[in-house]
Amino acid sequence: MNVMTKTSKKLYTIFFIVILMITAVIIIDISFESSFEPVKTAYEKEDFSPSIPTESGVFRRDEFALEYDNIIEDDNIYRTLETYYSNRAYPGAPPYIPHQVLEKQGIGGNACLQCHENGGFVAKFNAYAPVTPHPELISCKQCHVENTTKTTFQLSNWFKISPPPLHQKALVSSPPVIPHSLQLRENCLACHAGPAAPREIKVSHPTRVNCRQCHVPAVEKVKTEIPDLSSPDTSQQFFRKLK
Ligand code: HEC
Ligand code: HEC
Ligand code: HEC
Ligand code: HEC
């Protein structure tokens, strides 16, 4: 009997000490955790610190980034930089409207945005509609016009400046610099991703949505080839061409 109470007393003490230890561990753990902050990801938008206003445009189509990543390339219908440039008076100029426009009198808005806001295949034109980087500029025809004549304009000495070169990077695997200005080009995914993006500039990593974290604008002025018309040689070549 005496032995029994002795062992059970011992057991009680051990039990009591174990309980104390567990409580101590729990209390220490809680006080530790209370000083931790939860990890925030870029996708938890409401918790994300506001982006710098001049760089906020890069996030404008980021909800489509995963879709762009999983897109199956169309090997028959795609654009190249050659066709891209051929539709512009100079690199960066507003492209002509290369197709028929139904609403002749309209200024733009939904008549254009139904195809150009998010792109997609248009069977009628057998092409993917390029996504506009500026859906908020709703008077489209203020800047984009149809090419309605081939005869009104005479040949002139207008020279297209050449586009900036690609692949300007410090090391083989460094991110290339952004060779163009960022005015009207804040929304990178509009031009660099999706089925209508010219092949040469289609981004391999559309899900890294904070483009300007790695790509910086080129600081050096890019040399463009503008012919020296004051030199008699070049101007003679011109006039020979015109004749
Ligand atoms: C039915 C769909 C549709 C509508 C509506 C439409 N477009 Fe287009 N647009 C296209 C497609 C498709 C292309 C690509 C044509 C190609 O690559 O041959 C295109 C090309 C363009 C381009 C040339 C883009 C480039 O990078 O060269 C411009 C500019 C343009 N459209 C402006 C307009 C404007 C302005 C309107 C409204 C007046 C309009 N579009 C209405 C489908 C449409
Ligand atoms: C204030 C002038 C202006 C207005 C208004 C305007 N655009 Fe543009 N747009 C431009 C310029 C400039 C470019 C060429 C951008 C560049 O190459 O940097 C362009 C480029 C485009 C492109 C080609 C994108 C690409 O892949 O290069 C499309 C498509 C387009 N615009 C559609 C539209 C539509 C649709 C509207 C109306 C909702 C519209 N634009 C309103 C000036 C304008
Ligand atoms: C209006 C369409 C358009 C938009 C918007 C645009 N780009 Fe571009 N980007 C181009 C074109 C076209 C080129 C090819 C060079 C040229 O003509 O300027 C290019 C070239 C580049 C290159 C060089 C690629 C290489 O292989 O060397 C980088 C990098 C780049 N852009 C990054 C960006 C980033 C980052 C943004 C967003 C801040 C952006 N671009 C927005 C049209 C666009
Ligand atoms: C984490 C850094 C990082 C971010 C963010 C990033 N890039 Fe890149 N990008 C690179 C690197 C590195 C290369 C060079 C890849 C190579 O040469 O193998 C590159 C290459 C490119 C090219 C040349 C073609 C290609 O895909 O190789 C383009 C165009 C481009 N990036 C555009 C973009 C755009 C648009 C975004 C935003 C959607 C973006 N990048 C976000 C690091 C980045």
Side-chain angles (χ1 to χ4, degrees), residues 79 83-84 87-88 95-99 101 103 108 111-112 114-116 120 122 124-125 127-130 140-141 144:
R79 285 206 302 168
T83 49
Y84 182 94
N87 200 23
R88 289 150 168 79
Y96 302 108
I97 307 176
H99 54 71
V101 175
E103 273 184 44
C112 312
Q114 56 173 317
C115 293
H116 287 289
V122 181
K124 191 166 54 168
F125 305 145
Y128 289 94
C140 316
K141 284 202 203 159
H144 299 283

Side-chain angles (χ1 to χ4, degrees), residues 37-51:
E37 274 180 22
V39 178
K40 286 175 188 161
T41 64
Y43 289 101
E44 291 170 40
K45 283 267 164 90
E46 58 280 9
D47 288 332
F48 195 46
S49 55
S51 43

Side-chain angles (χ1 to χ4, degrees), residues 8-219:
S8 61
K9 245 190 187 171
K10 248 188 198 166
L11 275 179
Y12 274 130
T13 326
I14 291 171
F15 180 70
F16 185 65
I17 290 173
V18 168
I19 292 287
L20 268 186
M21 279 166 78
I22 291 175
T23 340
V25 167
I26 290 174
I27 289 173
I28 290 171
D29 185 52
I30 288 174
S31 64
F32 252 127
E33 271 187 5
S34 68
S35 62
F36 289 162
E37 274 180 22
V39 178
K40 286 175 188 161
T41 64
Y43 289 101
E44 291 170 40
K45 283 267 164 90
E46 58 280 9
D47 288 332
F48 195 46
S49 55
S51 43
I52 305 167
T54 53
E55 296 187 1
S56 61
V58 299
F59 300 113
R60 276 207 348 220
R61 296 186 62 78
D62 67 358
E63 68 270 32
F64 299 108
L66 269 180
E67 246 174 85
Y68 284 141
D69 208 24
N70 295 324
I71 229 163
I72 298 165
E73 296 269 322
D74 192 330
D75 280 332
N76 301 313
I77 300 160
Y78 57 87
R79 285 206 302 168
T80 61
L81 271 184
E82 201 189 334
T83 49
Y84 182 94
Y85 292 132
S86 69
N87 200 23
R88 289 150 168 79
Y90 53 88
Y96 302 108
I97 307 176
H99 54 71
Q100 290 273 313
V101 175
L102 284 183
E103 273 184 44
K104 296 273 177 233
Q105 303 302 320
I107 187 75
N110 280 340
C112 312
L113 288 176
Q114 56 173 317
C115 293
H116 287 289
E117 186 159 21
N118 292 313
F121 186 68
V122 181
K124 191 166 54 168
F125 305 145
N126 193 30
Y128 289 94
V131 173
T132 174
H134 39 255
E136 72 286 358
L137 302 178
I138 51 168
S139 49
C140 316
K141 284 202 203 159
Q142 175 194 348
C143 306
H144 299 283
V145 289
E146 287 171 272
N147 205 346
T148 50
T149 169
K150 298 250 183 291
T151 51
T152 309
F153 300 105
Q154 296 300 311
L155 215 55
S156 72
N157 60 1
W158 167 255
F159 249 110
K160 266 191 192 184
I161 53 167
S162 40
L166 297 181
H167 315 307
Q168 302 181 62
K169 34 177 138 175
L171 300 168
V172 182
S173 59
S174 324
V177 295
I178 308 174
H180 52 70
S181 93
L182 293 175
Q183 190 186 19
L184 274 178
R185 286 192 174 186
E186 303 88 351
N187 183 359
C188 323
L189 285 172
C191 298
H192 284 283
R199 278 254 159 124
E200 296 90 333
I201 58 162
K202 201 173 279 189
V203 58
S204 52
H205 41 271
T207 47
R208 298 182 205 160
V209 292
N210 193 0
C211 316
R212 289 179 65 185
Q213 176 192 355
C214 303
H215 294 279
V216 293
V219 279

